[in-house]
């Protein structure tokens, strides 16, 4: 089988540090932190007071008030990001069946479930909104993006917790590469900053309880104590190379490898030796035919939990050997918090832009080194560098591991 080349021709994002890709990438380059006090509900009496919220988003302006009311917040985010990624591309009638959608969400419309449950208790269960199910289910972001774009090919929603965004991009990459589609909108969207979701993650001791925004999401730091919940969306437009060239599309970067594995170990904890994540990274490299020593930078999953950061460091050492000491490894979650099902997609965008602009993002607010996380985490200050290959990792509850390998665009 001839493997077709797949390139990135559009990017869209809505993040805690920007309402679009240029704003978000500028914030990454400046090392800005998007974490602050929770404002979407009153967290009084709760142990967790901080989150990474999307700020200033006006869904009514984007979608119209009536239409916005019929969408969950995560779907609104996905549509905003997808429209940015699409730009002026519109498929012809003949092309529509060769254009697909793959957009993940880890939790979907959990806020809708909470509010409709309250309504059912108060007014009776037959009085819940008729839009409850079609706005709350995880796949509806993908479905609404397909309706909005007119893409009639495969439309799917990988639900693999914090690896979902990466799986969505990786699956789309393989789908195009192997000839099943020519164009895919892919990524992830999440809007789970609700009392129930925050309470649930708190009770399982996953979230940081820091009250200092600059010491809450601190990946690889010895004082890390949990992740910070984030929200937002990231969507990429992937195209088969000849399709992109034929329409004169601007190419951001190339997708060249993808690996996905499962730890098959524990509901929430990764394997301590990081072997599942290591296998996903090795698979992505093998998929691309790229040697470990060719990778210049890894955008780490780097959640700011003890087990994840130590396990991911061990995994990188396993795969890269001595080169692990040479490459750069940073976590942009230090700025965005953890966007769950959207995280891998947003980090794929940052990885592509790192290649385009020759810039390696920092792990900000880093203070205390941890001997278990002793690689070059690009502390506090991003750097300009000539980079040709970037790997992006995502590791999710349930043991889901995903790795994407991107290459600098070279005609």
């Amino acid at each position: 089988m001839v493997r077709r080349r797949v390139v990135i021709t559009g990017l869209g994002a809505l993040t805690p540090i920007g309402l679009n890709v240029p704003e978000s990438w500028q914030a990454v380059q400046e090392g800005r932190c998007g974490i602050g006090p929770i404002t979407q509900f009153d967290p009084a009496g709760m142990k967790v007071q901080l989150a990474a919220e999307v700020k200033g988003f006006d869904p009514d302006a984007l979608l119209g008030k009536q239409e916005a009311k019929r969408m969950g917040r995560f779907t609104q985010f996905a549509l905003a990001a997808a429209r940015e990624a699409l730009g002026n591309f519109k498929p012809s009638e003949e092309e529509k069946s060769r254009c697909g959608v793959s957009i993940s969400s880890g939790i979907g419309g959990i806020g809708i479930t909470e509010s409709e449950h309250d309504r059912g208790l108060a007014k009776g269960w037959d009085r819940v909104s008729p839009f409850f199910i079609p706005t709350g289910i995880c796949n509806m972001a993908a479905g609404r993006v397909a309706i909005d774009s007119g893409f009639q090919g495969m439309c799917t929603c990988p639900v693999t917790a914090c690896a979902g965004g990466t799986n969505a991009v990786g699956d789309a990459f393989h789908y195009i590469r192997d000839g099943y589609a020519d164009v895919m909108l892919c990524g992830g969207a999440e809007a789970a900053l609700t009392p129930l979701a925050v309470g649930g993650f708190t009770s399982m001791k996953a979230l940081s309880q820091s009250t200092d925004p600059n010491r809450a999401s601190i990946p690889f730091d010895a004082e890390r104590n949990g992740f910070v919940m984030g929200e937002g969306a990231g969507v990429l437009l992937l195209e088969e190379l000849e399709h992109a060239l034929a329409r004169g599309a601007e190419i951001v970067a190339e997708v060249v490898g993808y690996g996905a594995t499962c730890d098959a170990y524990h509901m929430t904890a990764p394997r301590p030796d990081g072997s599942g994540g290591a296998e996903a990274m090795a698979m992505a490299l093998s998929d691309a035919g790229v040697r470990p020593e060719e990778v210049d930078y890894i955008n780490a999953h780097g959640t700011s939990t003890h087990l994840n950061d130590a396990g991911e460091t061990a995994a990188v050492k396993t795969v890269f050997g001595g080169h692990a000491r040479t490459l750069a490894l940073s976590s942009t979650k230090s700025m965005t918090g953890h966007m769950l099902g959207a995280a891998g997609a947003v980090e794929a965008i940052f990885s592509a832009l790192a290649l385009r602009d020759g810039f390696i993002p920092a792990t900000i607010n880093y203070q205390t080194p941890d001997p278990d996380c002793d690689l070059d985490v690009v502390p506090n200050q991003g750097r300009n560098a000539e980079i040709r290959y970037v790997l992006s990792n995502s590791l999710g509850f349930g043991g889901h591991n995903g790795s994407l390998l991107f290459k600098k665009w070279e005609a």
Side-chain angles (χ1 to χ4, degrees):
M1 182 190 300
V2 176
R3 289 188 168 190
R4 308 190 310 165
R5 292 175 70 182
V6 180
V7 292
I8 302 167
T9 56
L11 301 172
L14 200 68
T15 75
I17 52 176
L19 292 175
N20 51 48
V21 168
E23 285 183 12
S24 298
W25 182 235
Q26 182 68 30
V28 166
Q29 292 174 301
E30 294 174 1
R32 275 190 260 142
C33 181
I35 296 164
I38 294 172
T39 66
Q40 291 182 33
F41 63 89
D42 183 1
M46 297 179 71
K47 293 177 181 177
V48 170
Q49 297 288 307
L50 299 178
E53 298 180 338
V54 170
K55 305 156 192 74
F57 175 61
D58 183 356
D60 294 351
L62 176 74
L63 306 164
K65 190 171 185 178
Q66 191 65 24
E67 195 67 6
K69 281 176 63 177
R70 297 179 178 182
M71 293 183 201
R73 184 170 167 89
F74 77 108
T75 299
Q76 295 169 352
F77 286 168
L79 266 180
R83 287 180 178 181
E84 184 185 5
L86 265 176
N88 61 7
F89 173 67
K90 290 185 179 180
S92 66
E93 287 299 319
E94 294 75 21
E95 285 182 305
K96 286 182 177 180
S97 64
R98 299 283 298 172
C99 299
V101 178
S102 179
I103 294 181
S104 172
S105 184
I107 302 180
I110 188 170
I112 298 167
T113 300
E114 291 177 43
S115 62
E116 290 302 320
H117 182 264
D118 290 345
R119 180 174 174 167
L121 284 174
K123 297 185 177 183
W125 298 110
D126 291 344
R127 299 289 301 279
V128 300
S129 170
F131 293 104
F132 164 43
I133 299 300
T135 57
I137 51 180
C138 284
N139 67 297
M140 196 48 65
R144 291 303 295 251
V145 165
I147 292 168
D148 195 62
S149 62
F151 284 17
Q152 295 176 359
M154 180 183 71
C155 182
T156 188
C157 171
V159 182
T160 48
C162 308
T166 289
N167 289 148
V169 176
D171 292 347
F173 158 58
H174 277 179
Y175 204 65
I176 295 173
R177 188 192 68 183
D178 294 343
Y180 298 104
D182 296 323
V183 181
M184 293 288 293
L185 278 168
C186 54
E190 205 76 81
L193 292 176
T194 71
L196 182 60
V198 172
F201 279 111
T202 300
S203 67
M204 65 183 293
K205 304 188 186 306
L207 299 184
S208 171
Q209 296 179 25
S210 173
T211 56
D212 180 357
N214 293 317
R215 293 299 291 162
S217 184
I218 48 173
F220 306 114
D221 191 297
E223 297 177 8
R224 66 191 184 278
N225 54 35
F227 72 81
V228 173
M229 286 267 284
E231 62 173 358
V235 175
L236 298 85
L237 184 66
L238 303 190
E239 290 188 59
E240 187 272 326
L241 176 60
E242 296 305 321
H243 186 279
L245 293 176
R247 71 179 188 92
E250 181 179 344
I251 295 172
V252 181
E254 185 171 0
V255 191
V256 293
Y258 171 50
T261 65
C262 184
D263 285 349
Y265 171 74
H266 188 272
M267 285 192 296
T268 57
R271 286 187 178 273
D273 63 359
S275 56
E279 180 61 26
M281 285 186 268
M283 190 180 294
L285 292 170
S286 176
D287 191 40
V290 170
R291 300 186 309 276
E293 58 269 24
E294 293 183 85
V295 176
D296 303 296
Y297 166 56
I298 298 175
N299 187 295
H301 187 56
T303 59
S304 186
T305 64
H306 276 284
L307 289 176
N308 176 89
D309 295 3
E312 188 172 10
T313 302
V316 170
K317 291 177 179 177
T318 297
V319 175
F320 292 92
H323 182 56
R325 302 282 177 187
T326 305
L327 56 75
L329 171 93
S330 71
S331 173
T332 46
K333 288 185 179 72
S334 57
M335 301 175 232
T336 66
H338 189 355
M339 299 164 66
L340 308 181
V346 170
E347 289 155 16
I349 289 170
F350 293 158
S351 297
L353 293 173
L355 285 164
R356 186 195 70 181
D357 295 347
F359 180 83
I360 297 175
T363 303
I364 68 167
N365 295 319
Y366 180 85
Q367 291 183 7
T368 310
D370 181 348
D372 290 332
C373 304
D374 58 350
L375 302 179
D376 175 12
V377 300
V378 196
N380 302 314
Q381 185 67 50
R383 62 181 74 135
N384 295 314
E386 284 294 322
I387 51 178
R388 191 161 179 250
Y389 288 102
V390 170
L391 191 72
S392 181
N393 290 334
S394 292
L395 317 171
F397 285 174
H400 304 289
N401 306 302
S403 289
L404 288 163
L405 186 66
F406 302 94
K407 181 183 179 184
K408 184 179 179 68
W409 168 241
E410 298 168 351

